[in-house]
Amino acid sequence: GQQLNQSPQSMFIQEGEDVSMNCTSSSIFNTWLWYKQDPGEGPVLLIALYKAGELTSNGRLTAQFGITRKDSFLNISASIPSDVGIYFCASGRNTNAGKSTFGDGTTLTVKP
Amino acid sequence: DGGITQSPKYLFRKEGQNVTLSCEQNLNHDAMYWYRQDPGQGLRLIYYSQIVNDFQKGDIAEGYSVSREKKESFPLTVTSAQKNPTAFYLCASSEGQPQHFGDGTRLSIL
């Protein structure tokens, strides 16, 4: 099936540093989504992108939908300890209703 | 509050036993999904349903079964045919994009 390549697989950073992660695909998508998952819980939506080139912010988080519609990135500025978790990208097409393809996740560790 | 409720939080299965995981949503969403998550991996789609009384296999449907008799409910049965059922199971619902997730059920083998 379709696959998303999410990188990096894991990150160990110091509190206060900025973080960047991205997802790429060989296929074109209409939607890019970024989720965060805390241990033992379900993923929570952070940012949804619906248009090529769209740049959206949510507090210290910023995400962009690539112009080619085959990639997306998520930036976190001035990281804090509660940013720890697994970040997933997901993509979908309008023809598939809500069905999404998920990346393998980026595990973020923030050292105080 | 509107949301998705999965139960139980933890479940143990004996050899040869079928177990059923519950998923209920009060978001009035048409579509519901079941995913399996293994350590260090992303979410793999087991089954999904876009409307009541209809469902389709996802990427890893073997050893699982579902039903969709009511809009708000989408239970997943892990059958004895699933030889490696230990995983974290996530249910989601949506009206188009994005999907909203429950808090998961962790299934282990006794």
Side-chain angles (χ1 to χ4, degrees):
Chain A
Q2 300 152 356
Q3 286 189 324
L4 299 183
N5 297 310
Q6 185 172 350
S7 64
Q9 186 175 18
S10 60
M11 302 182 74
F12 296 84
I13 62 169
Q14 205 72 37
E15 182 177 359
E17 290 183 0
D18 296 342
V19 172
S20 184
M21 59 192 78
N22 68 83
C23 262
T24 61
S25 172
S26 58
S27 302
I28 291 175
F29 292 101
N30 301 113
T31 305
W32 282 96
L33 308 165
W34 286 94
Y35 291 87
K36 183 193 178 198
Q37 184 180 29
D38 291 326
E41 297 183 13
V44 174
L45 181 70
L46 298 174
I47 293 179
L49 303 161
Y50 299 104
K51 187 177 176 182
E54 181 180 355
L55 181 71
T56 297
S57 293
N58 177 9
R60 294 179 295 106
L61 279 60
T62 301
Q64 185 159 30
F65 191 145
I67 288 291
T68 64
R69 294 164 64 190
K70 293 182 179 181
D71 63 338
S72 177
F73 71 75
L74 174 71
N75 288 343
I76 305 173
S77 63
S79 59
I80 59 178
S82 62
D83 290 335
V84 166
I86 305 175
Y87 292 80
F88 290 100
C89 63
S91 58
R93 296 193 180 88
N94 295 339
T95 53
N96 283 355
K99 196 176 168 193
S100 296
T101 300
F102 285 80
D104 284 344
T106 294
T107 300
L108 179 63
T109 303
V110 180
K111 293 177 282 188
Chain B
D1 285 346
I4 300 172
T5 302
Q6 291 188 240
S7 62
K9 183 69 174 174
Y10 299 94
L11 188 57
F12 297 90
R13 196 192 89 169
K14 295 180 182 178
E15 293 286 340
Q17 187 181 46
N18 294 352
V19 292
T20 298
L21 285 60
S22 170
C23 179
E24 302 279 330
Q25 55 104 354
N26 60 7
L27 299 168
N28 202 34
H29 288 165
D30 282 322
M32 297 187 74
Y33 314 82
W34 274 105
Y35 292 92
R36 171 180 172 139
Q37 185 177 26
D38 293 286
Q41 297 188 31
L43 280 60
R44 293 185 290 169
L45 184 64
I46 304 173
Y47 269 98
Y48 65 103
S49 168
Q50 294 183 321
I51 198 168
V52 175
N53 291 323
D54 186 48
F55 48 83
Q56 287 81 40
K57 293 181 179 179
D59 300 320
I60 55 165
E62 186 173 351
Y64 300 97
S65 66
V66 294
S67 63
R68 187 83 187 279
E69 297 176 1
K70 298 185 295 183
K71 186 175 185 177
E72 59 269 24
S73 179
F74 191 40
L76 173 74
T77 296
V78 184
T79 74
S80 56
Q82 172 50 246
K83 297 307 179 187
N84 183 25
T86 298
F88 191 51
Y89 291 87
L90 287 160
C91 177
S93 72
S94 77
E95 200 66 39
Q97 295 281 3
Q99 294 180 19
H100 301 264
F101 286 86
D103 278 340
T105 293
R106 187 166 299 280
L107 176 62
S108 302
I109 297 300
L110 285 177

